[in-house]
Amino acid sequence: MNAERDLSPLTPGVVRALTDKLYEKRKVAALEIEKLVREFVAQNNTSQIKHVIQILSQEFALSQHPHSRKGGLIGLAACSIALGKDSGLYLKELIEPVLTCFNDADSRLRYYACEALYNIVKVARGSVLPHFNVLFDGLSKLAADPDPNVKSGSELLDRLLKDIVTESNQFDLVGFIPLLRERIYSNNQYARQFIISWILVLESVPDINLLDYLPEILDGLFQILGDNSKEIRKMCEVALGEFLKEIKKNPSSVKFAEMANILVIHCQAADDLIQLTAMCWMREFIQLAGRVMLPYSSGILTAVLPCLSYDDRKKNIKEVANVCNQSLMKLVIPEDDEMDEAKPSMTIPAEPTSEESLSKPEAVTTGETQRNELDVTALNQPLSFLCSCERIQVTLNLDGIVQVLDYHLSDTSIGMMTRIAVLKWLYHLYIKTPRKMFRHTDSLFPILLRTLSDESDEVILKDLELLAEIASSPAGQTEEGHGPSDGSDVRPGPVELHVPARAGQLNSSTTKGLECSPSTPTMNSYFYKFMINLLKRFSSERKLLEARGAFIIRQLCLLLNAENIFHSMADILLREEDLKFASTMVHTLNTILLTSSELFQLRNQLKDLKTLESRNLFCCLYRSWCHNPVTTVSLCFLTQNYKHAYDLIQKFGDLEVTVDFLTEVDKLVQLIECPIFTYLRLQLLDVKNNPYLIKALYGLLMLLPQSSAFQLLSHRLQCVPNPELMQTTDNTKASTGFRRTAASNIDYTELLQHFEKVQNKHLEARHQRAGRAEQLDRRVVL
């Protein structure tokens, strides 16, 4: 090669020195090149300067010979030093060959490339910013270099570049974001550390608003947060913390909607730190953005609900998730029930002007009446807070929310607190948006009934509250296309049912009262369907009836009206085909009626039978109570129908007396000694006016074998004064007083005939069961 002709103006000596294996000789050659370029600068000879740079680049830095490449790198650095402030005019030619050497297989060459680029950037300073992306790209690769010397050199260059960016106000953030978004998904620890360090630097620069581009890098940040390195996790945690502080300071410029789904994803992460951090962000988003987050409710609930059942090992996540859940619930308002989901949506401006943006963070809190709202059709557009005159509606995606709630309630593996939260959500939705929620009632009804078999009493209580709300809400009145879909559940005749009114819930025009509750609204069409299905569930799950039946019915009597509960159940049981279940259910209801504190008012109502409603209720209960002879007698004792009780006991001689029958008589005797029947025991003092009470009790005594109950009742009757006065006279009917006159419209003869008819059915059913059992025994013998 003819060095003098091909490589001029470089002298042969300089060329030889540049290709020497010794660093000192290459350094001497670099000093000569610096001197030469300074002369060209002084002469303003740009062509020669470009020529020298081209030679150093093409013939040396990009040469196949390693020593030549080293010489080219130090020569290009020397050119940059000689050019000084004019180096910016030649940066592209100076930088590109050096960056090419960043990929060299020789670690020493990569180190020299770092050194050369450091000198170039140090001289050029702010002039390198137009080339920032290529420099960043090269540095991000060297940050993960396995050679410690190369890594150390790249860190020096990195710090220099950060200083330049921090000092400058000409950084092209828009052009840098795509590269940052690409590099942030690197799995290499050092590359991740490099990325986070740059994000922290850019976030600290006042003139750089990285918050506008947070949606593009937030997902990558959360992925880096799960790195195995504690140092990197800490750095990422700090970066996310700085962003969150900035969001709290400037909520009006935050694109909440664009980041909502990212948070939903990471709120479900397996990594505790990622999940906790994402949940904290979600909490702030809901509280700052308000109803802007409402269209993402189904996703948020999917992420939040399982966290509510975490144990103490994840206590922090559970607490934050609970705040998220409560805050999101508050965003649902009654107006959501009135919004038409099919209404044409408004257009959201992509970026509001400074006058349109709200500067005060308190303007976007969740409790405000002028809460910002987002149209559901424009979710893909950048969102910002709009002033009150530019408000836009947020459509509540109720279908999606109900689907999520249904799924979590149906999942048997889900925790108790999650199930409670789901039931609270459904109850809240029925209160705030009853019209829309009743469209989902038919699909929710089966799972709500199944939930009554839950192991937790608290879950059952919340479930009963929800079912009671469904059964009593005015929105549940049967309309065309709505209401119960099962036609078989419709009552054969009109029966008025009432529930206690909630203060302020209904207008007086919608109520129809009873004497016991004069301002109670009429039950809706789901009430009777609920009663039918509840009894069906008790029939199919006898264990549920035994373990929780009384608990469920007592709670319903508190939530609804006890009279309605007993009236409807008695009416349904009257047509029950499974006579054995009917008898068991009547016995359960009777026990609740006679012993539960919740039924105190109903017992008082039945005790005197002073009103037409109480007498109608007695007749309704009596017809169903006939499924169980002893409970029928106890009902007569409760209502002070002593003569009819005596008449019934007289019929017991025609019944099949079984051990179970005698056991129930035994229990009734024990019950007579309880405080509930104090008035009955005191009436034994008035022998003259209560002869049939005494005769009925003697009738029970004669039915009992010589047992402890027999002794108990016998001792009680021995305390009755003047037994000889028990003889019935014509004057006793007249002396029964006002109560008997008030109940004179009850046809006791017809009731007695009904009792006999029902008992005949039971006798026939027992014989059929016994016959089937006998046939089965014969088959077993054969």
Side-chain angles (χ1 to χ4, degrees), residues 204-355:
S204 66
V205 179
D207 293 333
I208 297 176
N209 186 11
L210 198 57
L211 194 61
D212 284 346
Y213 302 93
L214 183 58
E216 299 189 51
I217 61 172
L218 185 63
D219 179 61
L221 282 172
F222 273 106
Q223 293 201 26
I224 293 177
L225 190 60
D227 195 273
N228 293 327
S229 168
K230 291 183 179 180
E231 183 181 357
I232 294 174
R233 287 164 72 95
K234 185 63 179 177
M235 286 179 65
C236 189
E237 197 174 357
V238 171
L240 286 167
E242 291 299 319
F243 276 121
L244 195 55
K245 288 180 184 177
E246 192 69 21
I247 288 171
K248 293 179 182 178
K249 290 179 183 178
N250 305 289
S252 60
S253 61
V254 179
K255 300 170 182 176
F256 290 102
E258 293 185 20
M259 294 182 279
N261 284 330
I262 296 173
L263 294 183
V264 167
I265 292 170
H266 292 290
C267 280
Q268 302 173 70
D271 185 281
D272 287 356
L273 180 59
I274 295 176
Q275 190 177 28
L276 176 60
T277 307
M279 201 68 73
C280 289
W281 275 61
M282 184 66 78
R283 176 190 62 196
E284 299 300 330
F285 272 36
I286 295 171
Q287 294 176 353
L288 292 171
R291 287 177 60 83
V292 169
M293 299 296 290
L294 209 54
Y296 305 93
S297 298
S298 58
I300 296 172
L301 288 174
T302 300
V304 167
L305 288 174
C307 302
L308 302 178
S309 293
Y310 284 172
D311 55 24
D312 288 341
R313 290 173 296 179
K314 295 186 177 184
K315 183 179 179 181
N316 292 338
I317 299 175
K318 179 180 179 178
E319 290 175 351
V320 179
N322 187 55
V323 175
C324 289
N325 183 58
Q326 296 297 327
S327 299
L328 186 65
M329 190 179 292
K330 292 177 182 178
L331 298 182
V332 181
I333 56 177
E335 286 76 7
D336 288 318
D337 204 30
E338 301 167 5
M339 294 178 185
D340 188 355
E341 295 171 354
K343 184 184 295 183
S345 59
M346 297 173 62
T347 303
I348 302 177
E351 294 290 342
T353 62
S354 58
E355 290 80 7

Side-chain angles (χ1 to χ4, degrees), residues 18 90 93 119 124 169 179 228 265 280 284 363 545 752 761:
L18 281 177
Y90 308 94
E93 293 81 2
N119 288 318
N169 59 359
L179 180 62
N228 293 327
I265 292 170
C280 289
E284 299 300 330
L545 176 60
L752 201 59
K761 285 184 179 180

Side-chain angles (χ1 to χ4, degrees), residues 545-756:
L545 176 60
E546 294 171 7
R548 300 287 180 82
F551 171 74
I552 290 171
I553 294 171
R554 288 172 62 186
Q555 292 303 318
L556 284 175
C557 289
L558 288 175
L559 294 165
L560 298 169
N561 182 275
E563 178 183 347
N564 297 334
I565 301 296
F566 274 77
H567 198 302
S568 59
M569 285 192 170
D571 187 63
I572 296 165
L573 288 170
L574 193 59
R575 290 177 291 279
E576 175 61 49
E577 296 179 358
D578 186 345
L579 298 180
K580 188 175 182 181
F581 166 71
S583 177
T584 303
M585 193 67 222
V586 162
H587 180 268
T588 302
L589 289 171
N590 187 67
T591 303
I592 296 169
L593 177 63
L594 295 180
T595 61
S596 300
S597 58
E598 295 86 354
L599 278 298
F600 175 78
Q601 184 178 353
L602 186 60
R603 284 196 296 271
N604 283 343
Q605 183 181 346
L606 288 169
K607 187 185 297 183
D608 296 324
L609 298 179
K610 289 181 178 180
T611 64
L612 176 62
E613 289 81 4
S614 63
R615 293 193 290 272
N616 288 339
L617 177 61
F618 164 71
C619 291
C620 179
L621 295 181
Y622 181 94
R623 294 178 186 279
S624 288
W625 262 230
C626 287
H627 284 297
N628 191 306
V630 179
T631 61
T632 313
V633 171
S634 66
L635 180 64
C636 291
F637 282 161
L638 175 65
T639 57
Q640 304 183 67
N641 281 298
Y642 301 135
K643 182 180 185 306
H644 192 69
Y646 172 70
D647 292 339
L648 285 174
I649 293 172
Q650 289 291 95
K651 298 290 183 181
F652 283 6
D654 299 329
L655 302 180
E656 182 181 2
V657 178
T658 62
V659 174
D660 290 338
F661 177 86
L662 292 176
T663 302
E664 291 192 23
V665 175
D666 188 295
K667 290 179 180 178
L668 176 57
V669 171
Q670 302 289 342
L671 201 59
I672 290 172
E673 295 297 319
C674 292
I676 292 171
F677 280 114
T678 299
Y679 68 93
L680 181 147
R681 298 196 300 275
L682 288 173
Q683 287 173 351
L684 292 174
L685 295 173
D686 188 2
V687 178
K688 182 178 180 181
N689 290 326
N690 296 288
Y692 287 107
L693 169 60
I694 300 171
K695 294 182 76 172
L697 293 178
Y698 268 107
L700 292 179
L701 187 68
M702 295 303 105
L703 285 171
L704 287 169
Q706 299 283 330
S707 61
S708 59
F710 177 90
Q711 297 298 329
L712 186 65
L713 184 56
S714 176
H715 289 160
R716 173 64 65 185
L717 290 172
Q718 288 174 13
C719 297
V720 175
N722 300 320
E724 64 275 6
L725 297 179
M726 291 173 57
Q727 296 294 326
T728 305
T729 65
D730 294 333
N731 294 329
T732 49
K733 290 185 179 180
S735 63
T736 54
F738 172 77
R739 189 189 60 77
R740 278 306 131 229
T741 304
S744 61
N745 63 333
I746 298 177
D747 187 349
Y748 289 98
T749 302
E750 189 273 332
L751 292 180
L752 201 59
Q753 291 173 353
H754 177 77
F755 175 82
E756 292 177 344

